[in-house]
Amino acid sequence: MKHIADWALNVAALRGASYADARLADDRSRGLATKNGKIGHAADSESLGIGVRVIADGAWGYAASDDLSRSAVEATAALAVEIARASSRVKQSEVRLAPEKAVSAEWTTPFQIDPLTTSVEQNLDLLLKIDSELCAVKGVTLAETNMNFRREEQWFVSSEGSNIHQTKYTTGVGYAAHAFAGSDIQKRSYPNSFGGQWQNKGYELIGELKLVENARRVGEEAVALLKADQCPEGVFDILLDGSQLGLQIHESVGHPIELDRVLGMEANFAGTSFLTLDKLRKLRYGSDLVNVVADARQEHGPGLGTFAFDEEGVPAQCTPIITKGLFTGYLTSRETAHAIGANRSGGTLRAEGWNRLPIIRMTNISILPGEKPLTREQLIASTEKGIYMETNRSWSIDDKRYNFQFGCEVGWELKNGKRTRMLRNPSYSGITTEFWNAMDAICSRDEWVLWGTPHCGKGQPQQVMGTGHGAAPARFRGVKVGSAYKGN
Amino acid sequence: MLKALLTFMLDKNKAADIFGKIKKYSSADEVEALIYGGHSALTRFANNTIHQNVTEANYVVSVRTAFDGRTARATTNKVDDESLKRVVAASETLAKVQHPDADLLPMPEAGGGARSTQTYPVPSRYFEATAAITPEQRAEAVSKIVGVAQKHKLTTAGIFSTSESVEGIFNSRGLGDWYSQTSSEVSVTMLAADSSGWQKANSPNVAHLDAVTLAEIAARKAFESAGPHEIPAGKYTVILEPAAVLDIVGFMFFDFGGLAILDQRSFLNNRVGTKLFGENINIWDDVAHPLQSGAPFDGEGVRRQRVQLVENGVVKRLVYARATAEKMRKSEYKEKVGRIEPTGHGFSIPNEMGEAPMNIVFGGAREPKTVEQMIGSTERGILVTRLWYIREVDPYEKILTGMTRDGTFFVQDGKIRHGVRNFRFNQSLIHMLSSVEEMGTPMRASGEESFDMVVPAMKVGEFNFTEVTKF
């Protein structure tokens, strides 16, 4: 494939580009789903193409094509230069890239079983088995399961001499039971909502999740929610399970630390950020227990943000984002690093596919587990009065990432260290920094899971990206609960 | 050569040739191909600079095969013979390992499946002028927007995009349909020190876009909302501009599919035929409406009907894919859901969602009011330009949460008084559409949370703001 990319780089240079890179990507995926005992869908997809990114006259141009013939690739590169020249008509300054050493490398997601080689028949049988367990619960009115696999093979070549071949594997699986009665629809999901658990892993993930073993409980909880008491409104200590805390990190840490947002580059769509540049190494983001990293390295785990190199050839790194509560880092790229005085990109430029321009995206934005041993049950036992919330149901946050509101599928009232009753429609809301400063306990490594958020949207044209979020159950003191239902 | 390569468009004849090969390579009982794609370009600006500027050419062939109650889909973006053979084989492999489903229908024949009830033909939505827009022309338009920003000492961010696209469907029963259209869109945000304004518009015909006027309106909103006051959350009369209306009401239309009722996941469970909204609410799905866009056939190739979903506040009808209509006729709900027939709103098969109306047109008021007139008749209320990050809190009461954004104003004694800090709302859509006091003339509107629609501005009583953010 390198020779195809070289066609593009040669034409870009001939047309006057001062920098060019080309990404060829071969993307293969499979989606399987069931609904109420029947196959919902079975589908395979493949997409192969090239994207050419150039700087000419100090401005960016990008062109992408599905046609890999020499004439089409050269025309695509020429168009990228033409577009860059048009961009240069409306600019305030020249694009500057932080230096990066050229590298030649090969990398593949570590995996045991290539998911795309596994038996479709057996996978559908597994989903139908889960489906039947859910449907066996009286009162479950809708059962849904899904299993998804993806392989993204990419060749990155730059005019600075980089030549990187990477292949990433992703596996995702999950299910949900819905129950409708009277005037209420309730839902429970496993292992997480909105598609379950996703990791950069092979098929072995499926076997790790005890999918069938949990199905009956999940169905029963969905039905039980119909008769559960409404979650009260007021100020409470709340405990969040790891998957909900992962989404809380995504929305109230991961997005505001994107330096392109901070610099106004997403102002028209995704928004900006309250984390203006003056707050770096000064803002008390959270309590002393809050330690968050952006870690794309393999040693962090098989997250959806794990890779060896980002989409402009920068090696995966670990950046401290919040250190003992202090705000210490942004997500950066070669173009934006200089804005915070960094001499190198943090390596977070990512693209959905060959036909999308790489932009700053979360990698694995994870809160580190507590250092003192603390299990979830011990955390609950140490809570005199509170509400434990599990599994996200709704999420919303303002365009600077201050005010958020989350709903969860199920709540549990806690009294004197014990779960006392199930609560339906739990929700909580707050202001980002006030919330993180209210964290007074987080479970230790044994409870820490690297969750996947597979469908994060950003950019124009919009791109969907998978991000990773390591989290363990944690407790927050004095949080506003129940505003979602106030006045309705 | 460069121009020829970059302006290549797939046409119906070429697509039919591709389908001919697919048929030849398939051993399935039935085979269908969706063939779609085109060219798109988007010039993006921020900080008064074009910072991203992209174009893409891509065509996709998606093959569905069916064997005796078993079906599956495989998709590729390559049309050489080997790729077509591979995608057919992949679809067949996925289909063959399944258990037969007695509910799987044969593929529709040409002209079969639904009556055409459109009152007028789908207008042409392909404009050469849009297809021919160059990067230089987009940059020129952005330059004018930046000029407006600089004139007002503001910073601007936004997009100017254009595209030409095709969409076709062919099956082994002889169905073959084809649609092409162009699109253009301008979205502008104007930023001041502590405030912002926003406008967005799109059209198949780029000549209908007025980037400078949009920029001027966004700029006015930015400087008029400067120094926002914090006022307490609570229930207010709100004036929702059309983009705000569309972003919030869009969350209910997936519940207007027949399968949503059969699955018991719809807020219309047990509510079809009842008066759910105010007397002044009338809603159609109508792909042929002059301000609508999109193909006049659905994911199986069934022609789209014009369907009145809500009449004087009463939920009248649902939309149906062919298979859903069959299931509904045999279901316990068949007497409670109005007319049951395929309406041409199905998604491509196989899928779990069934169908949804995607060409929504709201009826207007008998005496439409402009936004300015709505402001003039408001004693105390909030004017909302745009909503953001809307999510469903309660699926049956249809409580939605979200934020205001980019131009939120306090209105008192018939006048805009000042900008306010943005609110979080938690609002039942049912209550909202039962509390519409005034409406404007429906217009094509575009937001970020929902698909484009033809909707009016609305003045709504007792809109439920629950929190205030810090800006």
Side-chain angles (χ1 to χ4, degrees):
Chain A
M1 292 289 190
K2 183 176 180 302
H3 67 286
I4 297 175
D6 283 341
W7 296 335
L9 297 189
N10 291 339
V11 166
L14 283 170
R15 299 265 177 159
S18 58
Y19 170 85
D21 59 44
R23 283 183 305 113
L24 277 107
D26 183 357
D27 195 339
R28 313 242 167 173
S29 62
R30 173 169 298 156
L32 306 173
T34 71
K35 190 174 87 173
N36 283 353
K38 289 188 174 182
I39 292 166
H41 76 257
D44 276 3
S45 183
E46 61 177 35
S47 183
L48 171 63
I50 187 169
V52 183
R53 188 177 74 141
V54 306
I55 299 173
D57 293 347
W60 285 115
Y62 186 81
S65 175
D66 59 352
D67 188 342
L68 296 183
S69 65
R70 181 165 190 160
S71 54
V73 168
E74 291 180 341
T76 300
L79 179 57
V81 176
E82 183 185 332
I83 290 171
R85 294 232 154 86
S87 302
S88 74
R89 293 182 52 185
V90 187
K91 69 178 182 190
Q92 306 301 316
S93 60
E94 306 249 316
V95 173
R96 278 193 292 138
L97 296 183
E100 191 63 42
K101 284 182 189 166
V103 62
S104 292
E106 292 254 355
W107 184 80
T108 299
T109 300
F111 66 91
Q112 295 170 26
I113 305 165
D114 179 347
L116 290 166
T117 64
T118 57
S119 161
V120 174
E121 196 169 8
Q122 286 177 18
N123 290 332
L124 287 171
D125 284 348
L126 173 61
L127 294 181
L128 287 168
K129 170 69 175 164
I130 296 165
D131 194 300
S132 73
E133 289 286 310
L134 298 172
C135 289
V137 177
K138 189 179 176 188
V140 168
T141 49
L142 175 61
E144 296 176 305
T145 76
N146 66 276
M147 190 181 290
N148 300 77
F149 309 129
R150 185 178 181 193
R151 188 193 73 191
E152 305 162 76
E153 186 170 15
Q154 182 173 285
W155 295 262
F156 171 88
V157 180
S158 79
S159 57
E160 295 172 340
S162 282
N163 178 13
I164 299 166
H165 179 204
Q166 282 192 110
T167 306
K168 285 184 274 188
Y169 284 84
T170 302
T171 297
V173 65
Y175 56 83
H178 303 246
F180 167 69
S183 60
D184 198 8
I185 299 171
Q186 292 292 340
K187 174 189 172 192
R188 284 294 281 135
S189 309
Y190 183 86
N192 198 358
S193 47
F194 306 106
Q197 170 64 315
W198 297 61
Q199 289 189 325
N200 275 19
K201 237 182 191 180
Y203 189 78
E204 59 273 13
L205 175 68
I206 306 292
E208 296 169 3
L209 295 172
K210 295 184 168 44
L211 295 165
V212 176
E213 294 90 327
N214 280 283
R216 196 64 69 103
R217 172 185 63 81
V218 166
E220 288 169 353
E221 286 185 0
V223 175
L225 279 166
L226 292 171
K227 292 184 177 172
D229 293 328
Q230 174 76 14
C231 183
E233 186 196 332
V235 174
F236 293 88
D237 294 344
I238 65 167
L239 278 63
L240 301 179
D241 78 320
S243 67
Q244 173 56 33
L245 190 62
L247 191 61
Q248 177 80 47
I249 295 165
H250 180 98
E251 301 292 356
S252 68
V253 180
H255 278 303
I257 62 173
E258 294 162 344
L259 191 52
D260 55 348
R261 291 182 69 116
V262 175
L263 298 176
M265 296 160 81
E266 294 285 331
N268 178 247
F269 175 53
T272 57
S273 171
F274 73 94
L275 287 173
T276 46
L277 298 179
D278 56 301
K279 293 188 172 66
L280 185 63
R281 288 182 280 275
K282 291 185 181 136
L283 174 73
R284 176 58 49 184
Y285 208 121
S287 69
D288 287 348
L289 291 173
V290 178
N291 290 285
V292 175
V293 295
D295 196 344
R297 300 171 307 161
Q298 194 172 307
E299 49 264 49
H300 189 68
L304 294 186
T306 300
F307 47 76
F309 297 89
D310 76 354
E311 256 91 77
E312 57 180 352
V314 178
Q317 296 164 47
C318 177
T319 302
I321 300 297
I322 303 174
T323 307
K324 293 186 176 176
L326 184 70
F327 171 49
T328 51
Y330 290 104
L331 302 178
T332 63
S333 62
R334 292 185 66 186
E335 181 185 6
T336 58
H338 69 87
I340 56 167
N343 55 16
R344 189 187 184 202
S345 162
T348 67
L349 212 66
R350 306 175 67 194
E352 178 185 293
W354 57 267
N355 55 351
R356 290 290 178 269
L357 177 74
I359 57 176
I360 290 178
R361 300 306 302 250
M362 289 176 232
T363 54
N364 300 307
I365 314 301
S366 300
I367 188 165
L368 300 182
E371 291 176 2
K372 294 178 187 169
L374 182 67
T375 66
R376 184 183 65 165
E377 293 313 311
Q378 288 170 331
L379 179 63
I380 290 171
S382 68
T383 305
E384 192 177 336
K385 185 183 175 196
I387 299 170
Y388 176 48
M389 300 187 192
E390 289 183 303
T391 319
N392 181 263
R393 192 168 92 168
S394 70
W395 67 105
S396 174
I397 189 164
D398 70 44
D399 59 288
K400 288 186 193 289
R401 304 274 154 175
Y402 271 123
N403 176 284
F404 63 81
Q405 178 181 297
F406 290 94
C408 289
E409 289 184 352
V410 63
W412 303 92
E413 182 185 61
L414 306 179
K415 275 189 179 171
N416 300 321
K418 292 195 166 62
R419 294 190 199 203
T420 49
R421 57 176 176 148
M422 177 185 266
L423 300 170
R424 68 189 160 95
N425 305 329
S427 68
Y428 66 98
S429 54
I431 296 293
T432 292
T433 47
E434 294 170 9
F435 180 79
W436 286 107
N437 274 285
M439 193 182 97
D440 80 333
I442 182 165
C443 292
S444 48
R445 176 66 64 176
D446 288 350
E447 301 279 359
W448 191 88
V449 173
L450 189 43
W451 294 97
T453 300
H455 302 125
C456 174
K458 185 183 174 186
Q460 295 165 299
Q462 192 171 170
Q463 305 188 39
V464 174
M465 182 61 66
T467 63
H469 304 289
R475 183 173 59 209
F476 297 81
R477 298 288 191 184
V479 176
K480 192 188 281 188
V481 169
S483 289
Y485 280 80
K486 185 180 177 183
N488 280 295
Chain B
M1 172 60 96
L2 172 63
K3 187 173 173 58
L5 280 165
L6 300 176
T7 56
F8 166 78
M9 280 295 287
L10 197 62
D11 61 25
K12 186 174 182 181
N13 290 335
K14 289 173 192 152
D17 290 344
I18 292 169
F19 181 64
K21 291 181 180 178
I22 288 168
K23 262 199 311 189
K24 189 172 79 178
Y25 299 147
S26 175
S27 61
D29 298 345
E30 295 184 301
V31 62
E32 166 202 281
L34 304 174
I35 300 175
Y36 53 92
H39 305 119
S40 59
L42 186 146
T43 299
R44 198 174 192 209
F45 52 99
N47 299 312
N48 297 350
T49 293
I50 293 177
H51 67 308
Q52 295 170 8
N53 204 348
V54 303
T55 187
E56 171 194 355
N58 193 23
Y59 290 95
V60 172
V61 177
S62 186
V63 175
R64 178 166 76 95
T65 55
F67 299 85
D68 188 25
R70 299 166 293 169
T71 194
R73 178 171 297 282
T75 302
T76 182
N77 71 337
K78 293 285 167 287
V79 295
D80 60 274
D81 290 355
E82 286 310 307
S83 296
L84 294 177
K85 285 177 187 172
R86 187 172 64 250
V87 75
V88 168
S91 171
E92 292 184 349
T93 301
L94 284 172
K96 284 176 180 173
V97 298
Q98 300 176 25
H99 303 295
D101 177 0
D103 291 336
L104 182 70
L105 297 178
M107 292 179 184
E109 296 176 354
R115 296 176 300 112
S116 173
T117 59
Q118 296 294 341
T119 51
Y120 38 84
V122 173
S124 172
R125 292 166 179 151
Y126 187 93
F127 294 85
E128 290 289 348
T130 307
I133 286 279
T134 65
E136 290 74 20
Q137 288 170 301
R138 284 193 300 277
E140 177 62 25
V142 171
S143 175
K144 289 177 180 169
I145 294 169
V146 169
V148 172
Q150 290 171 330
K151 181 177 78 179
H152 295 292
K153 297 186 169 47
L154 299 170
T155 302
T156 189
I159 61 156
F160 180 12
S161 68
T162 52
S163 68
E164 56 179 328
S165 60
V166 295
E167 182 178 347
I169 183 164
F170 303 84
N171 74 27
S172 51
R173 287 178 171 260
L175 183 147
D177 216 335
W178 190 255
Y179 176 76
S180 61
Q181 88 163 67
T182 51
S183 304
S184 58
E185 183 165 281
V186 171
S187 180
V188 183
T189 301
M190 290 283 178
L191 297 143
D194 59 4
S195 62
S196 55
W198 173 86
Q199 288 291 279
K200 183 178 181 183
N202 64 27
S203 171
N205 186 352
V206 71
H208 290 169
L209 294 182
D210 183 349
V212 170
T213 298
L214 293 170
E216 288 284 4
I217 296 170
R220 193 186 73 230
K221 283 176 176 288
F223 56 73
E224 287 184 355
S225 61
H229 301 202
E230 180 171 339
I231 65 171
K235 293 197 174 181
Y236 287 87
T237 293
V238 293
I239 298 154
L240 302 172
E241 294 195 3
V245 172
L246 112 98
D247 271 340
I248 189 166
V249 301
F251 276 75
M252 71 177 178
F253 290 109
F254 285 90
D255 290 29
F256 276 80
L259 196 59
I261 297 290
L262 291 167
D263 288 344
Q264 296 288 275
R265 59 180 156 85
S266 171
F267 83 108
L268 300 177
N269 296 347
N270 304 330
R271 283 169 167 164
V272 180
T274 65
K275 189 169 182 188
L276 201 56
F277 310 125
E279 185 82 16
N280 54 357
I281 301 300
N282 291 280
I283 307 172
W284 290 263
D285 187 86
D286 184 4
V287 72
H289 189 282
L291 296 178
Q292 269 293 350
S293 65
F297 48 85
D298 74 359
E300 280 190 283
V302 177
R303 303 294 288 194
R304 295 189 189 278
Q305 284 189 25
R306 182 175 189 264
V307 177
Q308 182 155 17
L309 304 168
V310 177
E311 183 177 8
N312 299 332
V314 177
V315 178
K316 294 294 285 187
R317 289 192 62 188
L318 305 171
V319 296
Y320 293 93
R322 294 164 65 238
T324 306
E326 285 292 308
K327 282 183 204 161
M328 187 64 89
R329 287 190 190 105
K330 299 172 191 164
S331 79
E332 61 191 288
Y333 314 109
K334 64 185 176 189
E335 305 297 337
K336 303 174 184 170
V337 291
R339 192 195 306 170
I340 304 168
E341 62 180 349
T343 58
H345 291 85
F347 299 127
S348 60
I349 292 174
N351 75 80
E352 299 89 73
M353 297 300 287
E355 59 279 303
M358 305 295 284
N359 295 98
I360 297 298
V361 177
F362 271 66
R366 287 202 183 98
E367 295 178 30
K369 300 282 172 44
T370 64
V371 168
E372 288 69 28
Q373 288 171 319
M374 292 182 201
I375 292 167
S377 66
T378 300
E379 193 176 322
R380 188 169 186 272
I382 305 294
L383 170 64
V384 176
T385 300
R386 180 186 188 188
L387 298 174
W388 168 248
Y389 223 132
I390 304 170
R391 291 293 182 273
E392 185 177 85
V393 166
D394 188 296
Y396 198 69
E397 296 308 319
K398 223 58 185 172
I399 299 169
L400 302 173
T401 192
M403 301 295 303
T404 64
R405 177 179 175 183
D406 294 332
T408 309
F409 299 89
F410 182 62
V411 176
Q412 193 169 36
D413 298 331
K415 288 191 174 144
I416 291 176
R417 297 296 171 179
H418 50 75
V420 294
R421 287 192 174 181
N422 286 294
F423 288 107
R424 170 169 298 288
F425 64 86
N426 280 280
Q427 173 65 44
S428 161
L429 256 185
I430 299 170
H431 293 156
M432 174 184 143
L433 291 178
S434 301
S435 310
V436 177
E437 297 170 1
E438 294 177 349
M439 282 194 285
T441 300
M443 58 179 285
R444 181 175 176 82
S446 183
E448 304 295 355
E449 304 279 348
S450 184
F451 50 92
D452 298 344
M453 294 178 204
V454 180
V455 290
M458 290 181 178
K459 180 173 165 181
V460 178
E462 298 277 293
F463 196 86
N464 190 33
F465 292 122
T466 53
E467 292 181 2
V468 187
T469 190
K470 288 186 173 292
F471 60 95

